[in-house]
Amino acid sequence: MYKSSNPYRPVETEVIDVITETPAIKTFRLQPSEPFHFDAGQFIEFTVPGIGEAPFTPSSNPAEKDRIEITVMKVGRVTGFIHQLKKGDRVGLRGPFGTKYPIDTFKGKQVLIVGGGCGFAPLRSLIYEFFNRLSEFEKVVFRGGCKTPSDFLYRKEIESWKNKGDIDVRLTVDNGDDNWKENVGVVTTILDNSMNIDCPSAIAVVCGPPIMMKFSTKRLLELGFRESNLYLSMEKNMSCGIGKCGHCRVGTFYACKDGPVFSYDKLKNFHTIWE
Amino acid sequence: MKAYFISYENLSNLFSVISNAYQLFVPVKINEKRYITPYQPGTGYTIGEVRTVEPLKAFFFPGRTIVALNYEDSLPDVKKKPYCIAGVKACDLYGCDILDRVFRSEDYTDPFYKQAREETLIISSDCTMAIDTCYCTVFGRNPYPESGYDLNLSPLAKGYLCETGSEKGKNIIEKNSSFFEESDDALLIERSKQREKVKASVEELVNRNTIPDSSEFNGIIERNYNAGIWQDEAKKCVECGACNTICPTCHCFLLYDQKKEETTARFRTWDSCLLKNFARVAGGSNPRASRWMRLRNRFEKKFDYFPAVFNEYACTGCGRCISACPAKIDIRTVLKRLVEHV
Ligand code: SF4
Ligand code: SF4
Ligand code: FES
């Protein structure tokens, strides 16, 4: 919930580290000057002073109380300026906004997490949250896909999840290279029996580019997942974060306050959810 | 709600008193159109007649305003005195009612809107005529205010019948009781005759322009979601955004930042869903890439989203978007086509 009496005011924040993930993607480690807590699934608005704001779902562990990380792909004007930021720079944060993944309701269940491309960033924060309390779930399965091996975010970290053995991880790329030992094909090609999941009772969380979410949803429904157990993150043009500016409407909802996490049954009757 | 009588002359006297505590705005007629104008003692104003060119929303949700300075928590406010707006018409009060649902919703309140709304004094008035673009009665509403005002004025032959609608309005009358007289049944009868007459003239326009009743609007967007009507109507749209900015119920805005020396200011300006990049996401994909999709979105918001979420159509029937559109896209025609197309 919002602390500030002025919802448009950013909280002053220091950039404490910058990590280059891929040529187009950087992770920024941030330290807000005021208490700032988010839950996995919620998003923040990131201000570059004098330049503008852009929405991001944090990629860090929600249990970390005074730090927050966002992973930013350079795609436009504001993200271009964000990529120029250095350690010690002052920026702004607003939020957090929107709904979190209802993890408490996943207790005792099998959970499948499907990530595509840039969707890895918000999912990392969710996976940290699972690691914080892994014993509460029957099983956690991760399936991730990217265009090429070099597009993978947090590659080393994902390998370490594999080694921990607590999460069943499989990856795929659309186009492999000589070093790629895993599956080649779109992400739906690894949504198969290897998951060893009881689909009608399991939870699925899908995050990635719209086209990937569309086909993953279709595939998971075919496998027997329930619509109400299938959670999607809606990437819309969020700005105000509080249901006023009108930019993020999806059907009868605003993605910023009613989402960005929705179960598929809430969205399925709306037009243009995949665009 | 108690009614009083106030003469033409005493209304001007009341306005002078009100001007001490408020920045008073009145409708002023220029070339057959009425504009909301700062009150000048001794110059004319038009309390009755019909809606102004500008919507009332500009006072609560200005076209461009600063909403944050640096990281400061205080709310920037440069206004010295609160506003008093006189001569506000029923359709604009209804527009505020719609905006209240957005900006004063229980989950998140917009502090700027809320403050301006609470401190503003609204002196509304009955319409005493209709213009061709009026169609408020389509929505079952009347061309005279029934709620949402502090004081309402009904222009009559010898002066105004003045009704209180809030404690704030009542206080104004108590403090300025010398300007007011008791009203009587004859005045009330005069008023209801006039109200009937004006309502009948709006209904006549609605009939003449063959605009369907709002009882037929249920499901028109969904039913016509992929109809050719949208492409057809949007052909001439030049994406000026006037239909949005002039509309008393359109609330969408854009936040942008500007830096001057060491100060960063965050501005909020009216935005328009007819503009190309309104819904575009950072990666470049645009769910409403074509103009006709954006025109459809405008109707979807007003005639599908609002009734689904708030049980009200977000259109007041003021007709401003009809007068403002350089492409002559007429909301009445679009509604008619949507209703008639099966
Ligand atoms: S849509 Fe047009 S007629 Fe309806 S309230 Fe807005 S400006 Fe007035
Ligand atoms: S006023 Fe007319 S031309 Fe301008 S954006 Fe609206 S529909 Fe298009
Ligand atoms: S971001 Fe402004 S309404 Fe959702």
Side-chain angles (χ1 to χ4, degrees), chain A residues 20-49:
Chain A
T20 301
E21 306 278 1
T22 74
I25 300 178
K26 288 182 181 177
T27 294
F28 297 83
R29 220 168 147 63
L30 309 166
Q31 185 163 32
S33 61
E34 294 166 31
F36 197 100
H37 174 73
F38 74 97
D39 286 305
Q42 291 188 298
F43 74 99
I44 56 101
E45 285 283 342
F46 184 94
T47 303
V48 184

Side-chain angles (χ1 to χ4, degrees), chain A residues 237-248 254 256:
Chain A
N237 180 17
M238 267 83 116
S239 170
C240 72
I242 54 173
K244 312 288 178 226
C245 76
H247 283 263
C248 68
Y254 285 122
C256 68

Side-chain angles (χ1 to χ4, degrees), chain B residues 133 135 139 243 246-250 298 302-303 314-322 331:
Chain B
T133 48
Y135 65 104
F139 299 95
C243 52
I246 204 79
C247 176
T249 73
C250 276
R298 181 169 142 79
K302 291 184 186 312
F303 298 99
C315 175
T316 68
C318 70
R320 284 187 176 96
C321 55
I322 307 166
I331 186 168

Side-chain angles (χ1 to χ4, degrees), chain A residues 4 6 8 237 244 247 249, chain B residues 67 73 102 108 110 251 297:
Chain A
S4 167
N6 179 352
Y8 307 113
N237 180 17
K244 312 288 178 226
H247 283 263
R249 190 176 61 80
Chain B
V67 290
D73 199 24
V102 176
Y108 295 102
D110 180 279
H251 63 84
N297 174 69

